[in-house]
Amino acid sequence: MPRKIPDLQLIELTGATFPDLESAQMAARSIIAHDLATTLRGLLAIGVLVVRDGKIYPNPRR
């Protein structure tokens, strides 16, 4: 039986949190990069993705 993925929760931040769009994007950049790297490492660890010639590909054997 597949694992149930918990429901996503979105939180809206007011415009007062960041002075401008560029500041908001810069703050989000490191968080998104960290989450993407964690996701890719996890997919590599379970064999969904493979590294060939220094590039990441879907595993053709799955």
Side-chain angles (χ1 to χ4, degrees), residues 3 11 17 19-20 27-28 31 39 43 48 50 52-53 57-58:
R3 257 185 341 176
I11 300 170
T17 305
D20 54 37
I31 296 168
T39 300
L43 292 172
V48 173
V50 294
R52 233 182 308 140
D53 299 325
Y57 295 97

Side-chain angles (χ1 to χ4, degrees), residues 1-56:
M1 179 179 206
R3 257 185 341 176
K4 184 176 186 294
I5 298 172
D7 294 334
L8 293 176
Q9 294 182 0
L10 297 178
I11 300 170
E12 184 176 351
L13 301 175
T14 67
T17 305
F18 298 100
D20 54 37
L21 178 60
E22 185 179 352
S23 298
Q25 289 173 337
M26 288 186 68
R29 190 173 295 139
S30 64
I31 296 168
I32 293 170
H34 177 266
D35 289 345
L36 178 59
T38 301
T39 300
L40 291 174
R41 284 187 192 111
L43 292 172
L44 285 164
I46 62 172
V48 173
L49 299 175
V50 294
V51 176
R52 233 182 308 140
D53 299 325
K55 295 181 182 177
I56 298 174

